[in-house]
Amino acid sequence: MTQPASAYFMEERHDPNETHTLSVLVANEPGVLARVIGLFSGRGYNIESLTVSETESQKHVSRITIVTTGTPMVITQIKHQLDRMIPVYQVVDMTLTGRSIERELAMVKVKGSGDQRIEAMRLAEVFRARVVDATNESFVFEITGATSKIDQFVNLMRPIGLVEVSRTGVAAISRGPEGM
Amino acid sequence: MSDSKSHDANQMTGAAMIVRALVDHGVKHIFGYPGGAVLPIYDEIFQQGDVEHILVRHEQGAGHAAEGYARSTGKPGVVLVTSGPGATNMVTPLADALMDSIPLVCITGQVPTHLIGNDAFQECDTVGITRPCTKHNWLVRDIKDLPKVLHEAFYVATSGRPGPVVVDVPKDVQFATGTYTPPRKSDVHVSYKPQTKGDPNQIRKAVALMANAKRPVIYTGGGVINAGGNASQTLRALVEATGFPITSTLMGLGAYPASGKNWLGMLGMHGTYEANMAMHDCDVMLCIGARFDDRITGRTDAFSPGSKKIHIDIDPSSINKNIRVDVPIIGDAGSVMEDLLKAFKAEGKKPKIDPWWFEIGRWRARNSLAYKKSDDVILPQFAIQRLFEATRGHDTYITTEVGQHQMWAAQFFGFEEPHRWMTSGGLGTMGYGLPAALGVQVAHRDSLVIDIAGDASVQMTMQEMSCAVQHELPIKIFILNNQYMGMVRQWQQLLHGNRLSHSYTEAMPDFVKLAEAYGGVGMQVFKPGDLDGALHEMIKVKKPVLFDCRVAALENCFPMIPSGKAHNEMLLPAEANDDATAKAFAGGKALV
């Protein structure tokens, strides 16, 4: 057995990485996003996707949705580290609750002519993507759905003439009548 | 009528609000250095007598002095510095205080709000720079927010797991007039609610483990000291009630007395053999206010493999960070220990652990702190022992710098009470001890305050001797002078083929003349026979003293767990010959 390069990482060797979606309610004050991002970069955690917007303007509360990967021990650390920040009200692991809805919006620009345009439109219909801009040689589609659905749509558009993609990152909410 | 009158009395400038808030929070002393962006606050300080200002020679000194003040009193240390370089010079003490959970309130001046972002003179992004090295920080752009932020700053710094905070106040906000509101409960950030009371179910589980333990050990840290109040007394009662052996981290020394019969000495990289072996072989570990850091655990996958672990900590993020524990209890160490003690007594079952104590006795007999005495040269361990003897009967506070001398102080100076030991544990800041001693002496004017220093560390903040002289703070700087950065050299010897790259100080100042140049007293000792007399003289002097204690140059600090090794793989002084050392350290170069 070879020695690991540092004692710090010995615990993590055998644990597989997991992907978790965290919803974080924060006081909407200057620098709060920098604090959250700084925590991830400073402690070497991953951010797969991050969305943030004020959700209750009366109470100055913003909701940050973070998709992150790590071993179960690291995911727990991330939650605790977020939770102890002063402006953080609450951290919920949407993946652990198992009852959350996760959606992402993407705008996908595709260039082409003739059959390519017909194929693009047909696929868009299958994926329930809407055309939000069109020229004689291009479309911009708007598509909403789970990350995997958008990945799939983008991959299908690639051979047809994918130009560029803009994605919002994941927003998540729990099912049922209860709030966070 | 009276309403409008009090309303008028509360109309004041931002600068006046700052001083008023300090008074309202019981602050008697602040440490600082003036500059352009804090002149309005200094003007207010000049016109009042409630808060005494200690003028340092470098902002880092102010920060460490405030840390020493905080650690020795349990009250927050307060610092006032200017914008730009004033703030950046504070970064080291802030990071130090964050690592060691020391309550600091640092007020920084900032360029006027309309100049922020303009690369103005002495402008820097203070909240940006200090964000990762504070518990929280604020930039106050509006005078209306200032009173609330100031009160919140004190609350955040001192509650929960204590830590440093920064309040950055632009100069125009200091000049602006607003309404001051005294501290109220509602000033607290609604999202900040530290949990202090332990979960009774978890405490029951802990008691069940403790009552059935055969080889228990209590491992405490700085959290017990930070818990303040009676936490140390509760710990002593808990040790008494359970009969368990107890060890502590560097940060926790003094919570349980070194003369106590259950004391195993410090654990960790330079801890005693008995402490580390007890940690390795125990079946129940009760960790109170410590965080399983790498200097304690060594190899994490070989750390105390057979034990059930109970972990009491006020910070949930400390739980399961490095070591998985079986019974986590979130809460204030003092409060949880009280509940634990009650529940343990109610259980009425004190485990019989005589065989375990017999085993510990065998480890103790290895005498892991032994060293070869000499009549010709002063051994650093001997110097600490003599210093300890010389200070008996005095009301003594010890600070240290960072390195070999720090470890020897931890090993050989016996601490009987909490708040008597101020050292940079987490960050390991060379240059901490001298300014920290200033802060301690400010808080305890008539006590004996000694900085156990190394010749390299002490030169990092030597300028604060001038502050000691100005404010008549008779701190004693006891330098174990081996002309090396001893710990750096020790690692080079052990891990880098004895290539002593830049760890020898070829030009050393004459510390006696240096002390005299500052207006203090300089002393120098070469021979073991002269040490006791000189120490008594040092203690008698009512002025700052630089004591140049010339010690054996090549002595190394043992026992030692090589980084990345397990507790039962420690190297004892008697065994530290070349072969054993080479073997023990093989392959460990990459570790810190």
Side-chain angles (χ1 to χ4, degrees):
Chain A
M1 192 181 78
T2 53
Q3 288 281 318
S6 167
Y8 298 106
F9 304 117
M10 283 174 167
E11 289 283 335
E12 292 171 27
R13 282 175 298 172
H14 309 296
D15 297 342
N17 275 350
E18 294 177 357
T19 300
H20 282 240
T21 305
L22 309 178
S23 281
V24 189
L25 285 189
V26 299
N28 186 15
E29 59 185 33
V32 67
L33 186 59
R35 279 179 214 285
V36 170
I37 293 171
L39 171 73
F40 277 76
S41 61
R43 292 186 182 265
Y45 307 143
N46 298 309
I47 298 180
E48 302 277 305
S49 130
L50 181 142
T51 63
V52 53
S53 184
E54 191 169 72
T55 50
E56 294 172 70
S57 60
Q58 295 298 310
K59 294 190 208 156
H60 299 288
V61 170
S62 289
R63 186 166 176 138
I64 302 177
T65 310
I66 304 170
V67 180
T68 183
T69 55
T71 63
M73 208 159 158
V74 168
I75 300 278
T76 308
Q77 258 300 294
I78 292 173
K79 287 185 276 187
H80 286 320
Q81 293 286 357
L82 283 169
D83 211 13
R84 75 172 184 158
M85 297 183 122
I86 309 295
V88 169
Y89 287 97
Q90 205 186 348
V91 182
V92 173
D93 188 334
M94 303 305 266
T95 305
L96 277 192
T97 64
R99 305 183 62 237
S100 67
I101 305 161
E102 296 180 13
R103 289 292 180 269
E104 201 179 343
L105 184 147
M107 287 184 278
V108 182
K109 186 178 286 183
V110 182
K111 196 175 151 188
S113 57
D115 285 350
Q116 288 165 317
R117 286 173 70 81
I118 296 165
E119 181 63 10
M121 282 301 287
R122 192 160 29 208
L123 285 168
E125 212 170 300
V126 173
F127 279 78
R128 292 189 198 144
R130 293 196 305 135
V131 177
V132 288
D133 179 66
T135 68
N136 284 334
E137 47 175 353
S138 72
F139 290 117
V140 174
F141 295 110
E142 177 195 305
I143 178 170
T144 312
T147 300
S148 57
K149 175 183 164 183
I150 292 172
D151 288 345
Q152 206 185 349
F153 182 70
V154 170
N155 284 335
L156 286 169
M157 286 297 147
R158 191 159 282 126
I160 294 170
L162 181 72
V163 178
E164 61 178 350
V165 183
S166 176
R167 296 169 74 148
T168 57
V170 171
I173 201 160
S174 63
R175 293 177 193 273
E178 308 297 325
M180 248 177 94
Chain B
M1 264 313 267
S2 68
D3 268 9
S4 77
K5 202 171 160 192
S6 73
H7 184 74
D8 286 342
N10 284 332
Q11 286 292 308
M12 59 182 85
T13 63
M17 279 184 196
I18 289 169
V19 176
R20 175 73 180 276
L22 295 181
V23 174
D24 283 354
H25 286 277
V27 176
K28 298 271 187 288
H29 303 96
I30 64 171
F31 302 87
Y33 203 100
V38 282
L39 285 178
I41 306 172
Y42 272 89
D43 201 30
E44 289 296 328
I45 288 173
F46 187 83
Q47 299 174 56
Q48 53 86 50
D50 295 323
V51 180
E52 187 188 349
H53 178 270
I54 312 297
L55 177 65
V56 294
R57 296 298 180 266
H58 183 283
E59 286 88 353
Q60 184 189 354
H64 294 318
E67 283 188 272
Y69 187 90
R71 283 192 205 203
S72 66
T73 59
K75 294 191 282 190
V78 182
V79 178
L80 175 59
V81 295
T82 193
S83 63
T88 56
N89 281 343
M90 261 305 289
V91 167
T92 299
L94 290 170
D96 191 277
L98 186 68
M99 285 285 254
D100 287 347
S101 309
I102 308 301
L104 286 194
V105 175
C106 174
I107 293 159
T108 54
Q110 182 56 278
V111 300
T113 44
H114 69 274
L115 284 179
I116 290 177
N118 255 345
D119 296 331
F121 177 66
Q122 290 193 331
E123 182 192 355
C124 72
D125 177 8
T126 301
V127 285
I129 290 169
T130 60
R131 200 174 284 134
C133 57
T134 52
K135 186 173 171 186
H136 197 61
N137 61 14
W138 296 262
L139 168 64
V140 185
R141 288 172 170 274
D142 189 331
I143 183 75
K144 287 204 290 291
D145 299 329
L146 185 60
K148 182 177 185 298
V149 168
L150 288 167
H151 304 322
E152 195 178 338
F154 274 91
Y155 179 71
V156 169
T158 53
S159 61
R161 180 176 179 177
V165 299
V166 164
V167 183
D168 196 26
V169 189
K171 198 171 181 181
D172 56 327
V173 176
Q174 297 170 31
F175 276 126
T177 302
T179 309
Y180 177 78
T181 48
R184 289 171 309 189
K185 269 242 154 75
S186 59
D187 291 325
V188 179
H189 228 293
V190 278
S191 53
Y192 176 63
K193 292 188 196 86
Q195 184 184 339
T196 54
K197 191 89 181 141
D199 177 351
N201 287 324
Q202 294 294 92
I203 289 173
R204 265 197 293 280
K205 281 188 208 164
V207 168
L209 282 177
M210 288 161 65
N212 294 301
K214 292 190 171 61
R215 301 186 307 279
V217 68
I218 300 176
Y219 143 52
T220 66
V224 177
I225 309 222
N226 274 338
N230 297 318
S232 294
Q233 292 309 322
T234 312
L235 174 69
R236 290 163 192 214
L238 187 67
V239 173
E240 182 67 34
T242 58
F244 291 177
I246 174 169
T247 179
S248 155
T249 66
L250 181 73
M251 294 297 298
L253 296 177
Y256 185 80
S259 61
K261 67 175 167 45
N262 293 29
W263 179 239
L264 301 180
M266 182 175 76
L267 82 160
M269 184 174 273
H270 293 290
T272 65
Y273 188 66
E274 53 270 34
N276 286 329
M277 289 303 284
M279 288 289 279
H280 190 267
D281 284 2
C282 67
D283 68 344
V284 173
M285 178 187 298
L286 174 57
C287 168
I288 310 169
R291 57 185 175 85
F292 295 95
D293 103 324
D294 58 276
R295 283 296 183 270
I296 296 304
T297 60
R299 263 182 85 145
T300 45
D301 61 351
F303 174 74
S304 194
S307 63
K308 293 278 184 198
K309 299 173 185 75
I310 305 159
H311 187 184
I312 301 169
D313 205 294
I314 199 159
D315 180 357
S317 74
S318 286
I319 309 278
N320 289 336
K321 183 170 64 180
N322 305 324
I323 297 290
R324 281 172 222 270
V325 297
D326 303 280
V327 183
I329 307 174
I330 311 290
D332 173 77
S335 153
V336 174
M337 276 193 294
E338 273 174 33
D339 293 348
L340 195 62
L341 181 59
K342 258 184 239 151
F344 184 84
K345 282 181 170 165
E347 179 86 7
K349 189 180 167 198
K350 185 172 170 177
K352 299 229 179 321
I353 56 168
D354 295 344
W356 177 231
W357 273 113
F358 179 76
E359 186 79 22
I360 289 170
R362 283 192 10 219
W363 293 326
R364 272 183 175 153
R366 297 285 291 269
N367 198 11
S368 62
L369 296 180
Y371 61 93
K372 289 197 188 83
K373 292 203 175 63
S374 163
D375 291 335
D376 303 322
V377 289
I378 301 173
L379 271 298
Q381 301 93 325
F382 176 76
I384 305 276
Q385 283 181 319
R386 294 321 301 165
L387 179 70
F388 176 49
E389 292 304 326
T391 58
R392 275 183 195 272
H394 291 272
D395 183 32
T396 311
Y397 293 82
I398 300 290
T399 72
T400 74
E401 312 289 338
V402 169
Q404 286 182 326
H405 68 274
Q406 177 191 30
M407 293 298 111
W408 282 317
Q411 291 172 341
F412 291 94
F413 203 99
F415 294 95
E416 297 293 306
E417 295 296 329
H419 301 294
R420 298 289 170 146
W421 164 244
M422 275 54 63
T423 193
S424 172
L427 196 66
T429 309
M430 292 171 71
Y432 169 86
L434 198 162
L438 287 180
V440 177
Q441 190 84 73
V442 166
H444 310 274
R445 282 275 175 181
D446 300 322
S447 302
L448 175 60
V449 182
I450 302 172
D451 169 28
I452 298 176
D455 52 88
S457 285
V458 77
Q459 293 187 66
M460 286 202 174
T461 48
M462 178 56 81
Q463 75 284 347
E464 302 306 338
M465 271 298 280
S466 181
C467 169
V469 170
Q470 176 181 338
H471 293 278
E472 294 174 1
L473 301 166
I475 55 172
K476 311 293 186 282
I477 314 301
F478 185 67
I479 306 169
L480 296 179
N481 184 352
N482 62 1
Q483 305 207 316
Y484 280 100
M485 290 151 225
M487 195 59 93
V488 171
R489 188 208 58 214
Q490 179 165 344
W491 279 57
Q492 288 172 338
Q493 288 174 307
L494 299 174
L495 292 160
H496 294 272
N498 204 27
R499 289 179 293 279
L500 306 188
S501 182
H502 297 272
S503 54
Y504 180 69
T505 314
E506 297 199 21
M508 192 66 73
D510 179 332
F511 285 114
V512 174
K513 282 188 184 155
L514 189 56
E516 286 161 3
Y518 278 117
V521 174
M523 296 173 69
Q524 193 172 42
V525 169
F526 291 89
K527 295 286 168 201
D530 300 334
L531 189 56
D532 282 355
L535 284 171
H536 286 290
E537 196 187 324
M538 173 187 88
I539 291 169
K540 260 194 289 178
V541 175
K542 295 293 172 227
K543 276 181 153 190
V545 178
L546 278 184
F547 190 113
D548 183 10
C549 183
R550 295 301 183 99
V551 297
L554 293 173
E555 188 67 9
N556 277 341
C557 189
F558 289 105
M560 179 176 187
I561 304 176
S563 189
K565 298 273 176 166
H567 277 173
N568 58 353
E569 298 176 280
M570 80 186 307
L571 201 59
L572 296 178
E575 299 161 357
N577 57 38
D578 289 352
D579 279 355
T581 307
K583 209 171 135 214
F585 286 85
K589 223 187 256 189
L591 303 173
V592 288

